[in-house]
Amino acid sequence: MTHRTLTVSLIALAALAAPLAAPSARADTVTLGALPAPEDLHMTVVPRTKAEQARIDKVTRPTTDFTAPETYETKQGGAASVRRGDTADAFSQPSANMSFERELDFRVGNGLFKKLWVSSPSSTLASDGLGPLYNARSCQRCHLKDGRGHPPESPEDSAVSMLVRLSVPDDGTAAVPDIEGYLADRPDPVYGGQLQDFSIAGHAAEARIRITYTEEEIVLAGGETVSLRRPDLQLVDPGYGPLRDDLMVSARVAPQMIGLGLLDAVPAADILALADPDDADGDGISGRPNVVWSLDHDRPMLGRFGLKAGQPSIREQSAAAFSGDIGISTALHPAGSGDCTAAQADCMAAPNGNDPENGDVEIGEDGLDLVTFYSNNLAVPERGDLDDPQVLRGKQVFYESGCTACHNPKFVTHRLENQPEQSFQLIWPYTDMLLHDMGPDLADNRPEARATGSEWRTPPLWGIGLTEQVSGHTYFLHDGRARSLMEAILWHGGEAAAARDRIIATPKPDRDALIRFLESL
């Protein structure tokens, strides 16, 4: 589907609004070692001028003044930011700078995001194709209120907003020679690339997810103690034979959905400029880009989305989720049987909803584009209490502890054609979108493209203070093990260990201020 284009006067921040010169020949790619960094092929980009780049460099420079908020800091998502609401719908608003005409597409995309799929054959041809094996019946079931998922809280609790990725060592068939440093693994020959713990009638689910915890106590400066819970993941009652001894598993809760289109619009060159894979500056931080194979463009691209940056765009992330989570086929993943394998013969042979009149898939290009548009435009709420003295002190603690080495505060997005909501915005996501080694305690020991078993993409922090309001809990990190922001900080290891240790040694009033700062985001 081609979205209708409305000519609008873009809302630009005053810091960036100087008159424009003719576009320069500034390259949109850089070289990282022997690997050519991928261009932003999935967007129509207007190149920056040298004058623009100079202004951008100035406005994105980290602050050293913590006596007052920075200019425009309230609007974390630039002109697309929405007012900070006090309901559970705070993450479900469209970009504030969206035209009425485009908002109609946003609402239709929201309907498809919430749509409950049913099994085939069905009289509701536009809604059939579920499974046969699946994790949820709709996108919204995992991303409830477009917020953060949670691990099962008891043996009886559903794991619907958590999934488990699966893989086994490469047998020589999974290498991607066009990507330097690619760590080849492959889907399990029986259970596929993801565990599906639900199934349609007449089929066995692949297994049940069970998580138990052991508690570990950490003592902070001043004598305060915090208990951390260490998870033990088990897959019980396998439905298709015993699990392999060399099976690699990775439990992951659904991340929040806000600001994805703005992150997608950050220039790849700006992300790569933050990379320091060999720690050349000696600060102990070695951010690396993940580089993945794009199905849309049939070439390597920068990984941006997913907990290990395993997808290059929102469209490809959405298509992968339709296939793996719900069993719904798209042009990028056309198998009507979803993640079923050849070893699951009944699953492969089951009726599906692939429709020759719909491109021989279960959700066609129009539907996938609408869901992508919706996901692109879930707005970031404005900051709260950012001029409170305690919040300002917490911001200073965040910076001086070294957290910004990974949680990079600011970017300016590409100037884009046909995407006015994301075009040329100063944003404050607090992420570098790079991979960082977080140490053995957070390792899942499962590679993903160039990401090792102990590397994770730095998650954006915007909206993190609204987690309980939107999602009804305060579970953080990739598997939801942390029950508070302080627990999440204390789990940081590897490259983040030095920053964590500084916070452990920080006096309690400053630790409290740090949490207040994070809650203001």
Side-chain angles (χ1 to χ4, degrees), residues 61-66 70 395 399 410:
R61 190 175 299 131
T63 187
T64 57
D65 179 5
F66 303 99
E70 297 173 70
K395 179 181 177 181
Y399 278 59
K410 293 175 278 186

Side-chain angles (χ1 to χ4, degrees), residues 296-314:
D296 251 336
H297 299 284
D298 195 31
R299 58 158 290 173
M301 287 182 65
L302 176 68
R304 295 175 187 253
F305 299 103
L307 292 166
K308 293 203 175 201
Q311 293 292 343
S313 68
I314 298 171

Side-chain angles (χ1 to χ4, degrees), residues 397-416:
V397 173
F398 186 85
Y399 278 59
E400 292 180 349
S401 297
C403 302
T404 57
C406 301
H407 292 282
N408 184 63
K410 293 175 278 186
F411 290 99
V412 171
T413 61
H414 274 304
R415 191 181 291 280
L416 297 169

Side-chain angles (χ1 to χ4, degrees), residues 27-43 45 178-180 264 266-273 288-294 297-304 309 311-313 316 414 434 450:
D28 209 28
T29 60
V30 298
T31 298
L32 185 69
L35 177 71
E39 298 176 354
D40 296 317
L41 301 174
H42 56 303
M43 296 176 288
V45 175
D178 290 331
I179 298 179
E180 180 182 309
D264 202 28
V266 173
D270 290 358
I271 297 170
L272 293 170
R288 301 192 311 123
N290 205 352
V291 178
V292 300
W293 191 263
S294 167
H297 299 284
D298 195 31
R299 58 158 290 173
M301 287 182 65
L302 176 68
R304 295 175 187 253
Q311 293 292 343
S313 68
E316 294 196 45
H414 274 304
L434 297 172
R450 285 164 39 109

Side-chain angles (χ1 to χ4, degrees), residues 62 66 274 283 285 394-410 429-433 436 438 458-459 461 485-486 488-490 492 495-504 506 510 514-515 517-518 521:
F66 303 99
L274 298 172
D283 67 353
I285 307 299
K395 179 181 177 181
Q396 185 173 2
V397 173
F398 186 85
Y399 278 59
E400 292 180 349
S401 297
C403 302
T404 57
C406 301
H407 292 282
N408 184 63
K410 293 175 278 186
Y430 287 92
T431 176
D432 59 8
M433 287 183 276
H436 293 276
M438 297 300 292
T458 306
L461 297 181
L485 291 170
M486 183 53 70
I489 292 168
L490 296 176
H492 282 51
E495 296 175 39
R500 175 204 63 201
D501 291 347
R502 292 186 195 105
I503 293 168
I504 289 174
T506 295
D510 283 349
L514 172 62
I515 298 302
F517 165 69
L518 293 173
L521 297 178

Side-chain angles (χ1 to χ4, degrees), residues 130-332:
L130 176 68
L133 307 176
Y134 63 95
N135 296 107
R137 290 182 58 197
S138 73
C139 307
Q140 183 77 200
R141 288 289 179 92
C142 292
H143 301 276
L144 186 63
K145 295 290 185 180
D146 304 297
R148 192 182 303 270
H150 64 86
E153 299 183 43
S154 69
E156 295 76 33
D157 187 26
S158 169
V160 72
S161 61
M162 168 181 269
L163 59 81
V164 176
R165 293 282 171 81
L166 307 173
S167 58
V168 297
D170 181 30
D171 61 356
T173 64
V176 182
D178 290 331
I179 298 179
E180 180 182 309
Y182 189 87
L183 302 172
D185 60 351
R186 60 191 174 98
D188 183 278
V190 175
Y191 288 92
Q194 185 168 308
L195 184 88
Q196 282 84 34
D197 53 341
F198 292 97
S199 61
I200 65 174
H203 296 264
E206 291 187 319
R208 292 186 296 113
I209 300 170
R210 177 183 295 168
I211 301 178
T212 56
Y213 299 94
T214 55
E215 298 283 341
E216 303 174 9
E217 192 171 87
I218 302 294
V219 181
L220 309 181
E224 180 184 1
T225 61
V226 177
S227 183
L228 304 183
R229 59 176 191 172
R230 184 180 297 276
D232 178 30
L233 171 67
Q234 297 176 316
L235 305 180
V236 298
D237 300 331
Y240 297 88
L243 302 173
R244 290 172 55 132
D245 292 337
D246 59 354
L247 181 66
M248 295 177 280
V249 300
S250 181
R252 305 180 183 189
V253 297
Q256 63 189 30
M257 297 285 293
I258 58 171
L260 297 182
L262 294 167
L263 295 177
D264 202 28
V266 173
D270 290 358
I271 297 170
L272 293 170
L274 298 172
D276 186 14
D278 300 317
D279 191 20
D281 61 6
D283 67 353
I285 307 299
S286 305
R288 301 192 311 123
N290 205 352
V291 178
V292 300
W293 191 263
S294 167
L295 295 177
D296 251 336
H297 299 284
D298 195 31
R299 58 158 290 173
M301 287 182 65
L302 176 68
R304 295 175 187 253
F305 299 103
L307 292 166
K308 293 203 175 201
Q311 293 292 343
S313 68
I314 298 171
R315 174 181 157 86
E316 294 196 45
Q317 173 74 19
S318 299
F322 268 119
S323 177
D325 300 355
I326 313 177
I328 297 299
S329 60
T330 65
L332 295 180

